[in-house]
Amino acid sequence: MKLKKLAQLVALMGVVGPVMAQEAAAPAMQRVEVTGSSIKRVAKEGALPVQVITFDQIEKQGITTTEQLVRTLSANGTGADNMTSGNNVFGADADRVSGGASFASLRGLGPSSTLVLLNGRRIATHGASGKSVDLNSIPLGAISRVEILKDGASAIYGTDAIGGVINFILKTNYSGVEASVSTNDTQAGGGATRRASLLAGTGSLESDRYNIMASLTVDKAQRLNGSDRSFVNGYQPGRGLSPDTTGTPFANQMAGAGTALGASFQLPGDANKYLQANPLSFQGKCDSIAGMSQYQTELWKDVTSPLRTKYSCAYDYGADYVLQFPVERANLLSRGTFQLAPDHRMFVEVLGSRTKATAILTPMQVQATVANKNLYPVGGAYYQDLSAYIPSFDKTKPISYKWRANDVGNRTQENTTDNARVLVGFEGNFGKWDYKAGISRAESSTKTKLTDGYSYTDKLYAALATGIINPWVGAGQSQTKAAKQLIESTKFRGDFQHGKTTLTQIDGSVSGELFQLPAGALAMAAGFDLRREGYSFGQDVDAIQILLAPGNAALKDASRTVKAVYAELLVPVTKDLEMQLAIRRDDYSLVGATTNPKVAFRYQPTDFLLFRGSASKGFLAPSFQQLYSGSLSQELPNGVIDQEGCAKHPGVPEYCAIDRLDYKTGGNTNLKPETSKQGSVGIVIEPVKGYSASFDYWAINTKDRILNRTPQIVLTNYQALNQYIHRNPDGTIEYVQAGWINAAGSRVRGLDVGLRGEGKIRDAKWTATLDGTYMDSFKFAEYQGQEYQELVGKFYTRDLYLRWKHNASFGVSRGDWSGLLIQSFSSGYKDQVPNGGKGAPPPGFKPDVSSYTTYNLSGTYTGFKNTTITVGIQNLFDRDPPFTAHNVDEVVGAGWDPRVADPRGRSLSFQLKYKFM
């Protein structure tokens, strides 16, 4: 159904209703505010189709982090926004400055399109990347419930919420002391988690006219290595998977003018001119070194030139990835609420958190070339003579080589993110009119230290040129003591980079009834939101001096002011039909002003039947980093093919097997805002009390979508994007211009399904739920003029747009006992085809990645005084992630994909909670 038709339907009818059809509320019930509206009303009525998850549900599922919670949402994207996938420097949207952070991405539209709120108010975005709220900063131990507004482009909270809103509601007015500890240990070892929390409060608003509460949560996640899980295996060539890299611990020699192999070499009876060689390859012994294998040239011949790979070894560095890196978190929340008068309250809220995440990446890949002045010298103790295999080998010349520098160590980054927010607010009512106002200051700062695996470029290159360091360490061998000391002397350890975001906000709103209509009261709300946003990013050292240093170019202090006003009307057209009309105007000091409306309806002709729908417009301004981040020069792996040049100069390495091609990324001050038009229509039925079903069809069209274009995309689409390929006078590529652009856009369609049931068998109560999302279509165009491509059910390097995802639960309670069984399901998809999809894949290649289903089981006992004990098993049947032939370079994962699956396997969780008062 087209968006225009959705809007027409809404115009005829009117406002989004609650998740479930409910009976009319009793007049005595308290009015509350529900996510998606500023108008308070009777709690049973609701305002929008909001998914609600309580803290009790979170605990019983064994969820210990906000990231885990968000990943259970069927409406959340299946993307690389989790901490495992984020531990990466490759890929379309690899964020080189958000190591240790995790983000939400509703509808798979990206973190920037999901608005994350705390008690309905914004908080600072991640200190380094600045793109969205880091989920680690949310104090999960202080959460009362989470409300997910799947209807995006909220005129109330911000039309930048194109994908939707996640609102974390904190506990308030708590009295007593409660402590809890929890553990989660994997059966296969590694990746254990621990958490302890303390919640304390005193005072009663009703009797003491005040309440002061505080919550402290500390948790820790231990390291999980790829070597700890058998399914992490990037060398399965019979199934279409093998490493596409020749950076090996036992180095491959490279050709080059002035080196032992010369500009290229030939073998007797072979007219080809080859560019790399390894004695282990000639001997068929590449696998004598752990993790190495013979390069599978036939599998990648159209992606990486056979001239470079046929006589080379490969290395499965994807299996070296750290699947869960060490993380330590501490979250503190303190809130004081004071009853100034019977109908007026003041509160002060202080939030602080610290996350220390140790991102561990695979060792660097080093190239010894004439230009780098780090060739292995003639006469060196480890000089490798290949004249027995290559007649033209000139042992009077130094050796050029490519080396996976395992002896330098894993590239290790310690990322510490501190978040703080102070909020002073007032709320209350004057008769039937409610008001709220607040002023807040929030900051997020991230500091990155390099603790191992990084060296000063000049020092390391000079050390390699001495010949003391051995790039050909064989099985059972190791570097000498002198070599180890020399390597250590080249390393950089210390503060590397830092970033900070700030948010100063003043907001307020008033809501109430204007007058009575025949069908009921006409209610309204009006509010304002004034924000000052700031961002800065800098280097503590000159990153250019450090080999393969992470991060972005420095960005001096940038700031902007956002002024927003909004209004909302709730119009009872008839007894059964209610309309919601809202409008919001935002004025960005650096981007401009925009006005966006929203119209919705709720029609309930009978007690058991409800119709609902909405239509709205969205507006997402570019972030500071997208606009202003400095230009950063990087390199692509060896073997890149210039399709245009190679067609004109077949077999010429400078076109057909390019050595370390340069590309540039950075901000784009010409970026336009991303805009959207979206809508939904739905039905809720409750044929029998306690049993209900909801079906909501939604559609989102975006225009000028902001994304990070990769150099691979430019090279693949060279005919349309040739202006971004900069060439030398001889026609070879000098560099490729990548970075932030406005893509043509996306067209997304889907169906949300919610099923609820509850009942009683003798003295036992049971509940059953299912929340699922069917992705009907996700069409996307990378650049203007490109035909929209359907991505649902296909491998893609950003998000995987799975056809169906759901979480279903069945719970039973009787007396002091309760149990919960949860099923999580993700449908399969078409796998990435080896060799860029050219030629026939090997016979063992299966084009489909299997679906992924896991079960979690927990039991809770409350029979001991003031004590709650919960024991659970996650991944009950120990399901391994489904196999994928995806090659690791664009998305983390060797033989598996962390965007879909959890690598921890079966685990046992235990939680003990005790209330002292």
Side-chain angles (χ1 to χ4, degrees), residues 759-779:
K760 200 171 184 181
I761 302 176
R762 296 183 180 178
D763 54 350
K765 297 179 180 178
W766 64 268
T767 59
T769 67
L770 181 145
D771 286 291
T773 297
Y774 177 85
M775 186 72 77
D776 180 51
S777 176
F778 196 113
K779 291 184 177 180

Side-chain angles (χ1 to χ4, degrees), residues 168-355:
F168 293 89
I169 311 297
L170 299 176
K171 296 171 182 173
T172 58
N173 199 26
Y174 179 83
S175 181
V177 179
E178 175 182 304
S180 71
V181 292
S182 64
T183 65
N184 190 294
D185 294 274
T186 63
Q187 179 178 323
T193 63
R194 306 283 185 264
R195 188 174 81 174
S197 65
L198 180 67
L199 176 65
T202 183
S204 168
L205 288 177
E206 290 75 19
S207 58
D208 303 320
R209 299 184 62 185
Y210 78 91
N211 176 260
I212 299 175
M213 59 164 285
S215 169
L216 174 64
T217 302
V218 178
D219 63 273
K220 183 177 182 178
Q222 297 177 0
R223 177 172 173 172
L224 175 62
N225 296 315
S227 58
D228 295 332
R229 296 294 182 266
S230 60
F231 56 80
V232 182
N233 179 6
Y235 182 69
Q236 302 182 59
R239 304 173 76 178
L241 174 63
S242 74
D244 180 24
T245 179
T246 56
T248 51
F250 190 95
N252 286 295
Q253 288 198 29
M254 298 169 55
T259 69
L261 285 180
S264 62
F265 66 89
Q266 291 179 280
L267 299 178
D270 189 344
N272 290 315
K273 296 181 179 181
Y274 295 101
L275 303 172
Q276 279 186 191
N278 194 309
L280 297 180
S281 175
F282 287 110
Q283 299 167 19
K285 295 182 179 179
C286 286
D287 58 0
S288 64
I289 307 296
M292 284 177 49
S293 60
Q294 175 62 46
Y295 188 95
Q296 302 297 300
T297 299
E298 286 300 310
L299 202 58
W300 300 109
K301 61 183 180 181
D302 293 303
V303 174
T304 302
S305 174
L307 300 177
R308 189 171 295 281
T309 65
K310 186 173 182 179
Y311 297 106
S312 297
C313 296
Y315 182 62
D316 183 15
Y317 72 96
D320 285 345
Y321 268 90
V322 174
L323 311 183
Q324 176 179 291
F325 47 80
V327 180
E328 297 178 5
R329 302 183 191 86
N331 285 279
L332 173 66
L333 170 71
S334 179
R335 180 184 174 101
T337 308
F338 308 94
Q339 195 80 34
L340 303 178
D343 295 323
H344 305 280
R345 295 174 300 281
M346 171 187 174
F347 63 90
V348 179
E349 188 176 281
V350 178
L351 173 68
S353 70
R354 165 166 286 191
T355 300

Side-chain angles (χ1 to χ4, degrees), residues 6 55-56 145 195 212 239 298 606 612 629 735 827 837 884 915:
L6 289 176
F55 186 67
D56 181 63
R145 67 187 185 278
R195 188 174 81 174
I212 299 175
R239 304 173 76 178
E298 286 300 310
T606 67
R612 60 190 181 196
S629 61
Y735 69 91
S827 62
T884 169
K915 294 184 178 181

Side-chain angles (χ1 to χ4, degrees), residues 111 127 136 170 208 279 426 520 560 677 683 707 756 838:
N136 291 301
L170 299 176
D208 303 320
F426 299 86
R560 67 185 177 198
K677 294 180 180 180
I683 183 174
L707 59 82
R756 302 288 185 273
K838 299 176 182 178

Side-chain angles (χ1 to χ4, degrees), residues 67-68 71 84 184 186 191 224 229 231 323-324 852 854 856 874-875 878-882 896-907:
E67 175 186 287
Q68 291 175 339
R71 292 192 71 171
T84 301
N184 190 294
T186 63
L224 175 62
R229 296 294 182 266
F231 56 80
L323 311 183
Q324 176 179 291
Y852 183 62
T854 59
N856 296 343
Q874 288 71 47
N875 197 349
D878 200 20
R879 171 74 188 275
D880 282 343
W896 74 292
D897 197 322
R899 296 176 295 175
V900 175
D902 184 346
R904 300 174 75 249
R906 183 189 289 130
S907 63

Side-chain angles (χ1 to χ4, degrees), residues 505-522:
Q505 182 176 22
I506 301 175
D507 65 90
S509 68
V510 61
S511 65
E513 297 178 357
L514 291 173
F515 50 80
Q516 288 291 324
L517 294 174
L522 175 67

Side-chain angles (χ1 to χ4, degrees), residues 582-714:
I583 192 167
R584 181 184 181 95
R585 180 172 177 81
D586 295 271
D587 189 349
Y588 289 78
S589 60
L590 300 177
V591 180
T594 176
T595 302
N596 296 284
K598 182 166 188 173
V599 56
F601 74 88
R602 176 186 186 277
Y603 177 57
Q604 188 171 0
T606 67
D607 290 341
F608 64 85
L609 183 63
L610 168 72
F611 297 98
R612 60 190 181 196
S614 68
S616 58
K617 289 185 176 182
F619 178 92
L620 175 62
S623 70
F624 293 113
Q625 187 189 104
Q626 292 166 345
L627 286 168
Y628 304 120
S629 61
S631 179
L632 183 70
S633 296
Q634 301 174 69
E635 293 179 332
L636 287 170
N638 273 352
V640 172
I641 298 175
D642 171 10
Q643 295 186 38
E644 182 180 12
C646 190
K648 297 177 181 178
H649 308 277
V652 178
E654 288 78 11
Y655 298 95
C656 304
I658 304 174
D659 182 14
R660 308 295 284 183
L661 179 64
D662 290 332
Y663 72 96
K664 296 181 179 181
T665 60
N668 180 357
T669 55
N670 295 318
L671 285 176
K672 295 181 291 186
E674 181 177 326
T675 58
S676 70
K677 294 180 180 180
Q678 48 211 106
S680 66
V681 289
I683 183 174
V684 183
I685 55 175
E686 189 180 22
V688 178
K689 187 175 181 180
Y691 295 83
S692 67
S694 64
F695 304 90
D696 292 277
Y697 184 82
W698 48 269
I700 305 171
N701 286 353
T702 65
K703 182 180 178 183
D704 296 322
R705 187 177 175 190
I706 302 169
L707 59 82
N708 199 8
R709 181 178 52 210
T710 67
Q712 292 93 332
I713 290 294
V714 176

Side-chain angles (χ1 to χ4, degrees), residues 60 814-819 859-865 867-871 911-913:
K60 288 182 177 179
R814 180 177 181 272
D816 296 327
W817 294 89
S818 64
T860 300
Y861 180 68
T862 57
F864 300 116
K865 184 178 179 181
T867 303
T868 301
I869 300 173
T870 300
V871 179
Q911 183 188 62
L912 175 66
K913 182 190 296 184

